[in-house]
Amino acid sequence: LNFSKCYKEPSLFRKESKGSVLLVAVYVDDLLVTGSSLDVIQDFKDEMATKFEMSDLGKLTYYLGIEVTQLKDGIIFHQERYANKILEEAGMSDCNMVHIPMDPSLKLSKAPQEEEINEKDFRRKIGCLRYLIHTRPDLSHCVGVLSRYMHSPKESHGVALKQVLRYPVSYTHLRAH
């Protein structure tokens, strides 16, 4: 269909047509379609429907764990449900919230004298937080610091991780205009 594949993101395709741009992101059997003209988007959907059995789910509201709220003046991306699921799995749904995700004066180390904590559980939680960073860039630094201790995490790393998890899940939304 005369699309160009993005060389940095192989699942993203771009097409210029009738002075408009059309972007299609592909994930397994899901397509995320956007563009600068509703006519070009509709033409694409009509053409695809002649070749494949398709369902049009309308405006994007949820994609790969990211919730999308479309407003007149912009789009809000958030992962509140995903973040709440992380808390639930950690047994921290009803925890007391904190105002900062990590104390700026905290100095973590390998702490060989400390007791080890469950490495698999620590890694899984860090992995979940790394995915949450897509909509919570305010967590980038502390998750990056904790990622250094994914092998042989100690009690102090677990305490710091709990502090990050206690930071409210709905403080920050990215807004795109």
Side-chain angles (χ1 to χ4, degrees):
L1 299 174
N2 298 317
F3 278 85
S4 301
K5 185 188 264 190
C6 176
Y7 73 96
K8 289 191 176 188
E9 179 54 58
S11 65
L12 181 64
F13 298 85
R14 175 189 167 101
K15 178 180 183 179
E16 291 192 39
S17 172
K18 302 178 186 174
S20 297
V21 175
L22 181 66
L23 299 172
V24 179
V26 180
Y27 183 76
V28 187
D29 63 350
D30 287 331
L31 300 179
L32 174 61
V33 181
T34 188
S36 58
S37 162
L38 288 176
D39 290 335
V40 171
I41 292 171
Q42 191 59 52
D43 290 347
F44 169 74
K45 289 197 246 181
D46 292 344
E47 189 171 5
M48 289 296 287
T50 66
K51 299 178 184 335
F52 303 98
E53 184 178 323
M54 297 183 57
S55 299
D56 186 346
L57 301 178
K59 284 189 173 184
L60 182 66
T61 58
Y62 191 80
Y63 191 73
L64 301 178
I66 298 174
E67 297 163 73
V68 180
T69 305
Q70 298 191 31
L71 307 169
K72 276 187 172 181
D73 63 339
I75 300 172
I76 298 173
F77 297 94
H78 58 99
Q79 293 172 287
E80 202 159 334
R81 278 189 274 175
Y82 181 71
N84 284 325
K85 182 179 172 201
I86 295 169
L87 286 177
E88 186 179 307
E89 289 176 2
M92 296 178 63
S93 295
D94 297 322
C95 67
N96 292 327
M97 297 297 166
V98 295
H99 295 289
I100 57 172
M102 182 177 276
D103 183 342
S105 64
L106 181 65
K107 301 284 186 228
L108 290 174
S109 68
K110 289 186 179 183
Q113 75 285 1
E114 289 183 23
E115 193 76 26
E116 283 195 18
I117 62 172
N118 185 313
E119 186 174 312
K120 185 178 178 183
D121 185 52
F122 185 82
R123 278 194 217 160
R124 188 181 57 71
K125 288 174 184 165
I126 293 295
C128 290
L129 288 172
R130 291 189 70 77
Y131 189 67
L132 192 61
I133 288 173
H134 291 302
T135 58
R136 295 295 304 271
D138 54 327
L139 299 177
S140 296
H141 174 72
C142 51
V143 173
V145 168
L146 289 171
S147 293
R148 298 175 193 162
Y149 304 101
M150 290 191 5
H151 301 286
S152 299
K154 307 294 182 171
E155 287 178 340
S156 59
H157 308 132
V159 169
L161 175 59
K162 280 187 178 179
Q163 166 114 9
V164 174
L165 291 172
R166 291 174 55 208
Y167 188 62
V169 296
S170 61
Y171 265 19
T172 306
H173 299 308
L174 289 181
R175 191 176 189 106
H177 292 281

